[in-house]
Amino acid sequence: MGEFLDVALGFPTALFSFLLVVVIGYWALVLFGAVGIDENAETEAGDGAGFLSGIGLGGLPSTVALSVLIVVAWFVSLVGSVLLDRTGWSGALAVLLPIALLLVALGAAWIATRLLARPLRHFFQAEPPVSRNAFVGQVCVIRTGLVSVDFGQAEVTAADGSSAVIQVRQASADALGAGSLALIYDYDADREFFWVLPVGATGDPDYHPHGPKDH
């Protein structure tokens, strides 16, 4: 135990030992729900601003990448320090070898983290947002008492199973009330609402109260 503490608190392992304590504390807080994981992964290619992307560790949240980097560097430094102590080097080598070990530990940690990043990236890739145009052609459920040219809301289910409440309008005078099914046939990007028709209606989808819409 004494040898372990001497090595863990000696150069160069002590540099990583302090960071390791921070890493353990952070993940303990994550485990108990006190903080959340930063899920904003830097892109693999990077945009010139991401440090991790610049050294080939993009695609992972910074907290995950740095945690792996620190743990591996600490372990390599610890093992290397034990081996160096047992060789009994003295003189200039006793100064130069720990510095070389520091560089080796950083290099090994970078290689190991880069290798581990490849299979882990797909767990942290952000899902592209659902395009509102993807709702066109789907059936929605009206959630308001009526739908007119000026008012209306409905609930629609996306392809991934999630539901969304959207603004809807209808040009016809057909009765659409809460619980009615309606077909989404167009999206007005300027006013951010969807045009709907009652399911089975024979109205003209190209008719709009403010004039015909160009497609």
Side-chain angles (χ1 to χ4, degrees):
M1 186 64 180
E3 181 183 10
F4 172 80
L5 290 177
D6 289 340
V7 173
L9 299 178
F11 181 82
T13 311
L15 299 176
F16 303 114
S17 294
F18 171 75
L19 295 175
L20 182 64
V21 171
V22 175
V23 169
I24 293 174
Y26 169 76
W27 288 107
L29 292 175
V30 171
L31 181 63
F32 289 105
V35 298
I37 300 176
D38 177 14
E39 296 183 356
N40 296 319
E42 292 183 1
T43 59
E44 184 174 0
D47 56 4
F51 171 74
L52 293 177
S53 298
I55 61 174
L57 301 181
L60 289 178
S62 57
T63 52
V64 175
L66 290 175
S67 295
V68 174
L69 194 72
I70 292 169
V71 169
V72 175
W74 177 83
F75 179 78
V76 173
S77 179
L78 181 72
V79 173
S81 295
V82 171
L83 294 177
L84 288 180
D85 286 347
R86 292 179 179 178
T87 57
W89 294 103
S90 60
L93 285 178
V95 176
L96 295 177
L97 287 177
I99 296 175
L101 176 60
L102 173 64
L103 299 177
V104 170
L106 290 172
W110 174 76
I111 293 173
T113 305
R114 187 165 187 178
L115 291 175
L116 289 173
R118 293 179 180 177
L120 291 177
R121 278 186 183 120
H122 72 276
F123 291 110
F124 297 98
Q125 295 299 325
E127 294 292 335
V130 177
S131 170
R132 294 189 176 184
N133 288 325
F135 291 142
V136 175
Q138 295 193 38
V139 173
C140 62
V141 181
I142 304 302
R143 293 306 185 199
T144 50
L146 60 88
V147 176
S148 66
V149 295
D150 301 311
F151 175 79
Q153 287 186 338
E155 183 177 354
V156 62
T157 302
D160 62 0
S162 62
S163 60
V165 175
I166 58 175
Q167 299 295 320
V168 295
R169 305 289 186 267
Q170 71 162 335
S172 67
D174 295 317
L176 271 177
S180 301
L181 298 180
L183 174 67
I184 302 171
Y185 64 83
D186 201 359
Y187 175 62
D188 190 318
D190 295 332
R191 289 173 287 182
E192 297 186 340
F193 61 72
F194 295 87
W195 289 104
V196 297
L197 281 173
V199 171
T202 58
D204 182 4
D206 290 325
Y207 170 75
H208 290 268
H210 303 289
K213 182 171 181 175
D214 295 330
H215 291 279

